[in-house]
Amino acid sequence: MKIYDIPKDADQNLREQVADLLMGQMESIGRENAYELLLKAIDMTLEDNSGAHIFVAEYEGSILGAAFLNIGISLDKGGHYIWLNDLYVHKEYRNQGIAKKLLLKVIYWAENRGIKGIELETGISNAATKALYNSLGFYDVISKRYGFRF
């Protein structure tokens, strides 16, 4: 299995494979025009000045999982940090360590770039995901996240 950060010059086929994979996650939240939104976000991620990255787990030419993140600046960390927007593995390939491998790659990549931390959000009742994060040294932060959409 190969885990890598999608290059800025990724071809359309790779972009569509990532969008196809992430549709599994988008379908669960019922967004209209989800595929078009995913392709647009992937294209924006791959722009030269983007602070976003997509790491993928690829096996025999198929994308099995992806981690989508944004780099921001944190006042309390005194530097750059990562907001892990999405960590998703195709349902047929779960419980095989793919999410852990993706997350370890992101951690290693971030540490080698001087990034000060990683933050994310998961469902309160998602025990398997919480166990994964805790096994890698993530800890609970008590907060309530809010959103606003234009």
Side-chain angles (χ1 to χ4, degrees), residues 1-6 54-59 63-67 87 89 97-106 109:
M1 178 170 311
K2 182 178 175 185
I3 310 267
Y4 60 95
D5 185 9
I6 294 178
I54 302 172
F55 286 79
V56 294
E58 179 183 331
Y59 182 71
I63 304 298
L64 308 180
L87 178 63
V89 175
I98 296 170
K100 185 173 187 172
K101 289 176 184 174
L102 276 163
L103 197 49
L104 284 169
K105 180 72 171 190
V106 168
W109 178 87

Side-chain angles (χ1 to χ4, degrees), residues 83-84 120-131 133 140 145:
W83 178 261
L84 184 64
L120 56 90
E121 181 180 74
T122 190
I124 247 173
S125 61
N126 193 339
T129 302
K130 288 172 67 173
Y133 295 140
D140 290 345
R145 185 171 177 192

Side-chain angles (χ1 to χ4, degrees), residues 88-99:
Y88 183 77
V89 175
H90 190 284
K91 62 183 175 183
E92 292 180 22
Y93 299 98
R94 292 183 186 158
N95 301 312
Q96 297 179 29
I98 296 170

